[in-house]
Amino acid sequence: MLELQNVSYKTQEKQILYNLNMKFIPGHKYVVIGTNGAGKSTIGYVIMGLSSYKPFEGKILLDNKDITSLSVTERAKLGLTLMWQEPARFDGLTIENYLTLGGKLTIQKSELIESLEFVGLNPKLYLNRYVDKTLSGGERKRVELASIILLKPKYVILDEPDSGIDLMSLNIINDVVNYISQYGGTPIIITHREEMVYNTDYGYLICAGKILMHGKTEDVLKAFRGTCEVCEHPNVPLNGEMR
């Protein structure tokens, strides 16, 4: 289980997250939903342990082990991964090298081909292409999804996975989310769009770095529609409570 216990985070300018308690249990598909600027992506960065996203209070547990002080690399080795809202470019690195971590992973060519086909990329056209500016953001996002299929992490944080892709690609994302769940992984979707919510079963509604509510996805979605979409004061919950 992945767990946040009383996690708070702040920059030099302001506090972003407030006393978060969250649990991500294998066997479920999760969504963290809220309007833009609510602090959702920051939750993903804190979980992943990015260098400038260390909580000043609370701790993060993975399988009952305190990982709060571990680096990104150490957390990745334990099975955590983050799919970025804006995927990175790697000039001079082919897609095949990217998917095999520069040849460090022993992966059969057939597996590489299958992973690219799964995300709608023609292996003949893409295996030897470079992960650089010649690829669109949507193509790079598909390459990231292919890497998830190959690496099979325990916990996959998908930060706004629909950003920069066409509507048809939403089906591919849902297929990957299902695949993660089928191999025993736990997908965590971070989003502000309803389209990305329906393929999950448990959710957290975030506003101004606080949890307004959590529970079954259908209930969280109703609250999101009835609270956030009509709120006259975006990201400023009244005493941390739902309006």
Side-chain angles (χ1 to χ4, degrees), residues 40-121:
K40 306 183 304 298
S41 292
T42 300
I43 293 172
Y45 301 159
V46 167
I47 291 174
M48 198 65 223
L50 302 191
S51 58
S52 57
Y53 287 87
K54 302 297 184 183
F56 73 90
E57 288 181 349
K59 57 186 178 180
I60 302 169
L61 302 178
L62 180 61
D63 297 332
N64 294 317
K65 176 183 179 181
D66 189 344
I67 64 169
T68 312
S69 62
L70 297 187
S71 67
V72 173
T73 302
E74 290 169 320
R75 297 186 197 201
K77 289 179 180 178
L78 293 175
L80 287 178
T81 195
L82 169 67
M83 179 178 148
W84 298 87
Q85 181 175 348
E86 176 58 35
R89 296 200 304 257
F90 299 94
D91 294 337
L93 190 66
T94 66
I95 289 176
E96 180 172 0
N97 283 333
Y98 173 79
L99 293 177
T100 60
L101 300 183
K104 293 179 181 179
L105 295 180
T106 303
I107 297 177
Q108 299 296 322
K109 197 66 167 278
S110 59
E111 294 179 275
L112 292 173
I113 290 172
E114 289 173 4
S115 69
L116 290 177
E117 290 177 338
F118 194 103
V119 298
L121 296 178

Side-chain angles (χ1 to χ4, degrees), residues 24 28 229:
F24 302 100
H28 293 281
E229 294 188 357

Side-chain angles (χ1 to χ4, degrees), residues 180-192:
I180 294 168
S181 183
Q182 288 166 7
Y183 73 65
T186 304
I188 304 168
I189 298 175
I190 294 174
T191 187
H192 66 280

Side-chain angles (χ1 to χ4, degrees), residues 7-45:
V7 168
S8 296
Y9 167 78
K10 63 181 177 181
T11 65
Q12 290 183 341
E13 292 78 25
K14 62 177 181 179
Q15 186 163 342
I16 308 296
L17 303 179
Y18 296 82
N19 196 38
L20 298 185
N21 289 282
M22 308 173 80
K23 291 182 180 180
F24 302 100
I25 303 170
H28 293 281
K29 294 182 283 187
Y30 290 88
V31 64
V32 177
I33 191 169
T35 57
N36 286 328
K40 306 183 304 298
S41 292
T42 300
I43 293 172
Y45 301 159

